[in-house]
Amino acid sequence: MIFRLCNVGDAEKIMRFYQENAEHFRRWEPKRSEGYHTLAQWRARLAQREKDHHHDKVRHFLALSDDDTIVTAACNLTNICLFPVMSCQMGYGVGKAAEGT
């Protein structure tokens, strides 16, 4: 398993991850517009996330298969605060096929 920051090149893999797990995530995910998980939308979001990483306020990670082709989980650290106390909020999603592995 590979665990790393996401980047624009991951757009297709992430899109596929959320599309394949839509039913699995339904009870936790907010209702999304029809075009939310399109390739164009993911490319735009990932480009913004890459910029956000440089401001030390967020980190968006992916867990991927050993060959770096399939997203098995996603983890987002947001509202990162380094002073006066270290804290953040964490959100994550584990794909149905990867649960329990």
Side-chain angles (χ1 to χ4, degrees):
M1 178 181 293
I2 299 168
F3 191 68
R4 63 169 172 76
L5 288 171
C6 63
N7 61 65
V8 174
D10 296 319
E12 192 169 337
K13 290 181 268 197
I14 295 172
M15 177 190 70
R16 189 170 50 248
F17 172 73
Y18 281 102
Q19 287 175 342
E20 290 173 358
N21 287 286
E23 187 59 36
H24 176 59
F25 293 148
R26 187 168 316 282
R27 68 184 204 187
W28 297 286
E29 284 280 315
K31 189 168 175 78
R32 306 284 191 192
S33 65
E34 185 69 28
Y36 187 83
H37 288 299
T38 63
L39 187 56
Q41 288 296 315
W42 271 110
R43 284 184 178 141
R45 268 194 296 283
L46 290 169
Q48 183 60 51
R49 287 179 180 185
E50 284 184 11
K51 292 176 187 175
D52 293 343
H53 288 167
H54 295 290
H55 297 292
D56 292 331
K57 298 293 181 192
V58 300
R59 291 290 186 270
H60 301 280
F61 296 96
L62 297 175
L64 299 113
S65 57
D66 289 334
D67 62 0
D68 199 32
T69 60
I70 299 169
V71 175
T72 57
C75 178
N76 302 305
L77 303 180
T78 57
N79 298 320
I80 296 172
C81 179
L82 302 175
F83 185 83
V85 295
M86 291 186 176
S87 64
C88 71
Q89 294 175 323
M90 183 175 85
Y92 66 93
V94 177
K96 184 162 180 64
E99 280 189 339
T101 60

